[in-house]
């Protein structure tokens, strides 16, 4: 089949004859063209790191952030379209705050990931929405210890020991695989990232 949309890329609810949804593939390409984001789970915490691509010398330091605090015990790093990443992060903060207000304790990272992934997936269900052109690495520490998840533009979420997304993800994954993450502390992990 043709790799060009040929009419099947006009809506997120339209499948091509070979079962592909081109809108989600385009969102994934937006992530692949952005700076690299790395997350590793150490024995005592999670480390997130980003490669910030500078588009202009006139850009002020600290603008267009790609690492965000979601709650006291959770953080998120985004790759892809910055505005879409901020929207996903904003929803994650809202979910964490809502859980805190209702239950009186911090949201478990697994539940936070499921809620955010469901929100991202929601934008792939209706023809009047478009998928988010961003992926997120969600990391945090709760009663189950440190946890690291990757949320893709399709709304699928995976749990990892170490993950990388963005332009240099293959090289970063190769380097992450060389690390002994189960024995590494966060202090040692910061140097590795």
């Amino acid at each position: 089949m043709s790799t060009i949309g040929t009419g099947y890329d006009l809506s997120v609810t339209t499948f091509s004859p070979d079962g592909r949804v081109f809108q989600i593939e385009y969102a994934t390409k937006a992530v692949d063209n952005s700076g690299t984001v790395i997350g590793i789970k150490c024995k005592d915490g999670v480390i997130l790191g980003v490669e910030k691509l500078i588009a202009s010398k006139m850009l002020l330091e600290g603008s267009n952030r790609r690492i965000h605090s979601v709650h006291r015990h959770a953080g998120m790093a985004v790759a892809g379209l910055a505005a879409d990443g901020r929207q996903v992060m904003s929803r994650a903060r809202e979910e964490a705050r809502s859980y805190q207000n209702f239950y009186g304790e911090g949201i478990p990272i697994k539940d936070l990931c499921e809620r955010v992934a469901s929100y991202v997936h929601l934008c792939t269900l209706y023809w009047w929405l478009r998928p988010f052109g961003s992926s997120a690495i969600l990391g945090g520490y709760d009663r189950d210890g440190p946890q690291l998840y990757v949320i893709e533009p399709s709304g699928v979420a995976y749990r990892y020991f170490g993950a990388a997304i963005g332009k240099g993800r293959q090289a970063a994954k190769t380097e992450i695989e060389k690390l002994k993450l189960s024995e590494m502390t966060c202090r040692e992990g910061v140097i590795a990232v």
Side-chain angles (χ1 to χ4, degrees):
M1 285 286 152
S2 172
T3 58
I4 301 171
T6 60
Y8 295 103
D9 60 350
L10 301 177
S11 170
V12 77
T13 59
T14 305
F15 288 86
S16 70
D18 53 342
R20 296 165 56 191
V21 179
F22 288 107
Q23 288 281 318
I24 293 175
E25 290 183 17
Y26 298 154
T28 304
K29 283 188 197 281
V31 173
D32 292 343
N33 290 331
S34 72
T36 307
V37 176
I38 298 173
I40 60 172
K41 182 182 99 165
C42 302
K43 65 181 180 182
D44 58 344
V46 174
I47 299 170
L48 301 174
V50 299
E51 171 195 22
K52 186 171 180 182
L53 301 176
I54 305 297
S56 169
K57 293 179 184 179
M58 303 300 287
L59 190 65
L60 291 175
E61 190 174 322
S63 62
N64 216 9
R65 296 184 46 180
R66 296 188 43 214
I67 294 183
H68 307 277
S69 173
V70 174
H71 200 255
R72 284 179 285 130
H73 69 295
M76 180 180 281
V78 294
L81 301 177
D84 288 358
R86 281 192 302 273
Q87 188 67 30
V88 171
M89 179 273 309
S90 176
R91 180 61 180 228
R93 282 184 179 164
E94 185 180 312
E95 291 291 348
R97 187 172 33 254
S98 171
Y99 190 97
Q100 176 79 36
N101 291 341
F102 191 82
Y103 294 105
E105 64 180 23
I107 186 169
I109 304 302
K110 181 180 184 228
D111 293 343
L112 179 61
C113 177
E114 287 175 359
R115 290 181 181 198
V116 173
S118 294
Y119 174 68
V120 171
H121 177 67
L122 180 76
C123 293
T124 67
L125 298 178
Y126 302 104
W127 65 269
W128 64 85
L129 297 172
R130 66 167 176 81
F132 287 108
S134 67
S135 284
I137 296 182
L138 175 66
Y141 197 96
D142 59 14
R143 61 180 161 261
D144 297 326
Q147 296 181 47
L148 184 75
Y149 291 91
V150 173
I151 302 168
E152 296 181 348
S154 62
V156 177
Y158 297 104
R159 188 172 176 187
Y160 287 97
F161 286 105
I165 54 179
K167 192 177 283 187
R169 76 178 180 285
Q170 272 315 117
K173 282 182 182 179
T174 304
E175 293 300 317
I176 290 172
E177 289 171 358
K178 295 176 185 175
L179 302 174
K180 292 183 169 59
L181 297 174
S182 59
E183 302 167 4
M184 185 178 287
T185 65
C186 284
R187 187 175 297 273
E188 296 165 344
V190 168
I191 297 167
V193 170

